[in-house]
Amino acid sequence: MVEAAPDEVAERFRPTNGRGVGILALVAAVGTLVLGIVDDFPAPVVAGAFLVAVLAWAALLKPRVRVADRRLVLVNMLETVSIPLAAVEEVVVRQVLAVRVGDKRYVSPAIGHTLRATLASTRPPKRDPRRGDVLATPQAPSYPDLVENRIDQLVTEERKRLDVRRGSPEVAALSAEVRRTPAWVEIGLLVVGVVALVVTVLL
Protein backbone atom coordinates (compact mmCIF):
# COMPACT_ATOMS: atom_id res chain seq x y z
CA MET A 1 0.00 0.00 0.00
CA VAL A 2 2.92 2.33 0.68
CA GLU A 3 5.54 3.66 -1.70
CA ALA A 4 7.78 6.04 0.22
CA ALA A 5 10.56 8.37 -0.86
CA PRO A 6 13.05 9.91 1.60
CA ASP A 7 11.31 13.31 1.82
CA GLU A 8 7.90 12.47 0.46
CA VAL A 9 4.96 10.24 1.31
CA ALA A 10 3.25 8.43 -1.55
CA GLU A 11 0.45 6.01 -0.75
CA ARG A 12 -2.29 4.33 -2.70
CA PHE A 13 -5.36 3.10 -0.85
CA ARG A 14 -7.12 -0.03 -2.04
CA PRO A 15 -10.66 0.70 -3.33
CA THR A 16 -13.41 -0.97 -1.31
CA ASN A 17 -16.61 0.00 -3.16
CA GLY A 18 -18.14 -1.44 -6.32
CA ARG A 19 -15.23 -3.51 -7.62
CA GLY A 20 -17.09 -6.80 -8.02
CA VAL A 21 -20.18 -5.23 -9.52
CA GLY A 22 -18.06 -3.05 -11.79
CA ILE A 23 -16.06 -5.98 -13.16
CA LEU A 24 -19.22 -8.03 -13.81
CA ALA A 25 -20.96 -5.09 -15.49
CA LEU A 26 -17.92 -4.29 -17.65
CA VAL A 27 -17.45 -7.91 -18.75
CA ALA A 28 -21.16 -8.28 -19.56
CA ALA A 29 -21.27 -4.98 -21.45
CA VAL A 30 -18.11 -5.67 -23.47
CA GLY A 31 -19.36 -9.20 -24.24
CA THR A 32 -22.69 -7.84 -25.45
CA LEU A 33 -20.91 -5.16 -27.47
CA VAL A 34 -18.66 -7.70 -29.23
CA LEU A 35 -21.48 -10.15 -29.88
CA GLY A 36 -23.66 -7.28 -31.09
CA ILE A 37 -21.09 -6.24 -33.66
CA VAL A 38 -20.36 -9.82 -34.79
CA ASP A 39 -23.95 -11.07 -34.87
CA ASP A 40 -25.50 -7.79 -36.05
CA PHE A 41 -27.60 -7.05 -32.97
CA PRO A 42 -30.03 -4.09 -33.13
CA ALA A 43 -28.15 -0.79 -33.04
CA PRO A 44 -29.74 0.38 -29.74
CA VAL A 45 -28.47 -2.79 -28.03
CA VAL A 46 -24.92 -2.15 -29.23
CA ALA A 47 -25.07 1.53 -28.25
CA GLY A 48 -26.53 0.64 -24.85
CA ALA A 49 -23.78 -1.93 -24.22
CA PHE A 50 -21.14 0.68 -25.07
CA LEU A 51 -22.70 3.18 -22.66
CA VAL A 52 -22.94 0.60 -19.86
CA ALA A 53 -19.27 -0.35 -20.37
CA VAL A 54 -18.18 3.29 -20.07
CA LEU A 55 -20.35 3.81 -16.97
CA ALA A 56 -19.05 0.61 -15.32
CA TRP A 57 -15.46 1.74 -15.84
CA ALA A 58 -15.90 5.40 -14.93
CA ALA A 59 -18.25 5.02 -11.96
CA LEU A 60 -17.16 1.71 -10.39
CA LEU A 61 -13.64 0.78 -11.46
CA LYS A 62 -11.83 4.07 -12.06
CA PRO A 63 -12.28 5.86 -8.68
CA ARG A 64 -9.12 5.85 -6.55
CA VAL A 65 -7.70 7.61 -3.50
CA ARG A 66 -4.00 8.27 -3.11
CA VAL A 67 -1.51 10.63 -1.49
CA ALA A 68 1.27 12.03 -3.66
CA ASP A 69 3.45 15.16 -3.60
CA ARG A 70 1.95 16.08 -0.20
CA ARG A 71 -1.54 16.21 -1.69
CA LEU A 72 -4.62 14.04 -1.23
CA VAL A 73 -5.80 12.98 -4.69
CA LEU A 74 -9.38 11.82 -5.30
CA VAL A 75 -9.76 10.23 -8.73
CA ASN A 76 -13.50 10.25 -9.39
CA MET A 77 -15.83 9.43 -12.26
CA LEU A 78 -15.67 12.73 -14.13
CA GLU A 79 -12.86 14.63 -12.41
CA THR A 80 -9.70 14.37 -10.32
CA VAL A 81 -9.51 16.52 -7.18
CA SER A 82 -6.06 17.32 -5.78
CA ILE A 83 -6.03 18.77 -2.25
CA PRO A 84 -3.04 20.01 -0.23
CA LEU A 85 -2.85 17.74 2.81
CA ALA A 86 -2.51 20.62 5.25
CA ALA A 87 -5.74 22.18 3.91
CA VAL A 88 -7.85 19.16 4.94
CA GLU A 89 -10.11 20.08 7.87
CA GLU A 90 -11.89 16.76 8.30
CA VAL A 91 -11.94 13.25 6.83
CA VAL A 92 -14.90 10.95 7.41
CA VAL A 93 -15.57 7.54 5.90
CA ARG A 94 -19.15 6.31 5.91
CA GLN A 95 -20.57 4.81 2.71
CA VAL A 96 -18.16 7.11 0.85
CA LEU A 97 -15.05 9.04 1.83
CA ALA A 98 -15.82 12.71 2.49
CA VAL A 99 -13.18 15.41 2.86
CA ARG A 100 -13.94 18.90 4.16
CA VAL A 101 -11.71 21.77 3.07
CA GLY A 102 -12.88 25.12 4.42
CA ASP A 103 -16.58 25.36 3.61
CA LYS A 104 -16.37 22.86 0.75
CA ARG A 105 -16.83 19.10 0.77
CA TYR A 106 -15.23 16.65 -1.63
CA VAL A 107 -16.36 13.03 -1.92
CA SER A 108 -14.81 9.84 -3.25
CA PRO A 109 -16.84 6.63 -3.74
CA ALA A 110 -13.62 4.57 -3.87
CA ILE A 111 -13.44 4.06 -0.08
CA GLY A 112 -16.47 3.35 2.06
CA HIS A 113 -18.26 1.09 4.48
CA THR A 114 -21.11 -1.16 3.42
CA LEU A 115 -24.59 0.11 4.28
CA ARG A 116 -24.87 -2.59 6.94
CA ALA A 117 -21.60 -1.55 8.59
CA THR A 118 -22.60 2.13 8.42
CA LEU A 119 -25.93 1.45 10.15
CA ALA A 120 -24.28 -0.79 12.75
CA SER A 121 -21.76 1.93 13.65
CA THR A 122 -24.59 4.36 14.50
CA ARG A 123 -26.32 1.98 16.94
CA PRO A 124 -25.46 2.23 20.65
CA PRO A 125 -23.67 -0.84 22.07
CA LYS A 126 -25.82 -3.54 23.67
CA ARG A 127 -25.70 -3.57 27.46
CA ASP A 128 -26.65 -5.99 30.18
CA PRO A 129 -30.05 -4.67 31.44
CA ARG A 130 -29.16 -5.57 35.04
CA ARG A 131 -25.56 -4.43 35.28
CA GLY A 132 -25.27 -1.96 32.43
CA ASP A 133 -22.12 -3.61 31.09
CA VAL A 134 -21.46 -3.59 27.36
CA LEU A 135 -22.22 -7.06 26.02
CA ALA A 136 -20.57 -6.79 22.62
CA THR A 137 -16.80 -6.53 22.32
CA PRO A 138 -15.76 -3.61 20.09
CA GLN A 139 -14.66 -4.83 16.66
CA ALA A 140 -11.20 -4.21 15.24
CA PRO A 141 -11.00 -1.23 12.87
CA SER A 142 -12.02 -2.07 9.31
CA TYR A 143 -9.93 -1.11 6.28
CA PRO A 144 -11.99 2.08 5.61
CA ASP A 145 -11.40 3.06 9.27
CA LEU A 146 -7.66 2.53 8.79
CA VAL A 147 -7.72 4.71 5.68
CA GLU A 148 -9.52 7.49 7.57
CA ASN A 149 -7.00 7.31 10.43
CA ARG A 150 -4.03 7.22 8.07
CA ILE A 151 -5.16 10.29 6.14
CA ASP A 152 -5.74 12.12 9.43
CA GLN A 153 -2.22 11.18 10.48
CA LEU A 154 -0.72 12.44 7.22
CA VAL A 155 -2.64 15.72 7.53
CA THR A 156 -1.33 16.21 11.08
CA GLU A 157 2.24 15.44 10.01
CA GLU A 158 2.04 17.86 7.09
CA ARG A 159 0.71 20.68 9.29
CA LYS A 160 3.54 20.11 11.74
CA ARG A 161 6.05 20.20 8.88
CA LEU A 162 4.63 23.50 7.63
CA ASP A 163 4.05 24.80 11.18
CA VAL A 164 0.44 25.78 10.48
CA ARG A 165 -2.68 25.34 12.58
CA ARG A 166 -6.30 24.58 11.84
CA GLY A 167 -8.23 27.74 11.00
CA SER A 168 -5.10 29.82 10.42
CA PRO A 169 -4.71 32.20 7.44
CA GLU A 170 -2.04 29.86 6.07
CA VAL A 171 -4.49 26.95 5.97
CA ALA A 172 -7.10 29.18 4.34
CA ALA A 173 -4.55 30.07 1.67
CA LEU A 174 -3.82 26.39 1.08
CA SER A 175 -7.56 25.76 0.64
CA ALA A 176 -7.44 27.98 -2.44
CA GLU A 177 -4.90 25.59 -3.98
CA VAL A 178 -7.38 22.75 -4.48
CA ARG A 179 -7.21 21.65 -8.13
CA ARG A 180 -10.09 20.04 -10.04
CA THR A 181 -9.21 18.45 -13.38
CA PRO A 182 -12.07 17.21 -15.60
CA ALA A 183 -11.81 13.66 -16.94
CA TRP A 184 -12.24 14.66 -20.57
CA VAL A 185 -11.82 11.13 -21.95
CA GLU A 186 -14.62 9.70 -19.80
CA ILE A 187 -16.81 12.76 -20.40
CA GLY A 188 -16.32 12.43 -24.15
CA LEU A 189 -17.06 8.70 -24.17
CA LEU A 190 -20.23 9.22 -22.11
CA VAL A 191 -21.42 11.93 -24.49
CA VAL A 192 -20.76 9.67 -27.46
CA GLY A 193 -22.58 6.79 -25.77
CA VAL A 194 -25.64 8.85 -24.87
CA VAL A 195 -25.86 10.45 -28.30
CA ALA A 196 -25.44 7.08 -30.03
CA LEU A 197 -28.15 5.50 -27.88
CA VAL A 198 -30.62 8.33 -28.46
CA VAL A 199 -29.98 8.40 -32.20
CA THR A 200 -30.30 4.63 -32.64
CA VAL A 201 -33.52 4.54 -30.62
CA LEU A 202 -35.10 7.38 -32.61
CA LEU A 203 -34.09 6.10 -36.05
Side-chain angles (χ1 to χ4, degrees):
M1 185 175 86
V2 179
E3 303 171 1
D7 190 37
E8 177 184 327
V9 176
E11 300 191 22
R12 297 176 184 273
F13 301 104
R14 170 174 53 84
T16 62
N17 281 341
R19 306 298 292 173
V21 174
I23 291 171
L24 289 175
L26 183 61
V27 169
V30 170
T32 302
L33 183 61
V34 172
L35 287 175
I37 294 173
V38 172
D39 292 342
D40 197 22
F41 284 7
V45 174
V46 176
F50 174 80
L51 182 58
V52 170
V54 175
L55 284 171
W57 158 253
L60 300 174
L61 298 178
K62 179 194 171 190
R64 293 283 194 279
V65 176
R66 67 175 183 267
V67 173
D69 298 326
R70 306 191 186 281
R71 301 177 75 91
L72 178 63
V73 182
L74 310 179
V75 181
N76 291 333
M77 178 177 175
L78 299 179
E79 70 173 358
T80 295
V81 183
S82 178
I83 306 167
L85 277 172
V88 174
E89 296 285 350
E90 182 182 29
V91 178
V92 178
V93 179
R94 294 291 182 264
Q95 284 186 271
V96 296
L97 182 149
V99 179
R100 184 169 62 83
V101 179
D103 58 353
K104 295 183 179 179
R105 184 172 177 265
Y106 303 94
V107 173
S108 170
I111 307 292
H113 295 284
T114 62
L115 177 59
R116 180 178 179 182
T118 302
L119 293 175
S121 67
T122 61
R123 299 192 191 109
K126 294 181 179 179
R127 297 180 179 275
D128 186 320
R130 292 172 297 179
R131 300 174 55 188
D133 296 335
V134 176
L135 296 177
T137 302
Q139 296 182 348
S142 64
Y143 181 74
D145 293 327
L146 295 176
V147 172
E148 179 181 325
N149 293 336
R150 178 56 177 157
I151 294 174
D152 274 334
Q153 179 185 3
L154 292 172
V155 170
T156 300
E157 291 174 357
E158 180 64 3
R159 285 186 174 174
K160 287 182 179 179
R161 187 185 74 85
L162 297 176
D163 192 23
V164 297
R165 296 182 179 181
R166 184 189 303 271
S168 66
E170 292 82 3
V171 169
L174 287 170
S175 300
E177 296 181 14
V178 174
R179 297 197 299 260
R180 305 179 73 165
T181 306
W184 292 117
V185 172
E186 285 77 10
I187 293 172
L189 290 174
L190 285 172
V191 170
V192 169
V194 171
V195 170
L197 182 60
V198 171
V199 171
T200 54
V201 168
L202 293 178
L203 291 181

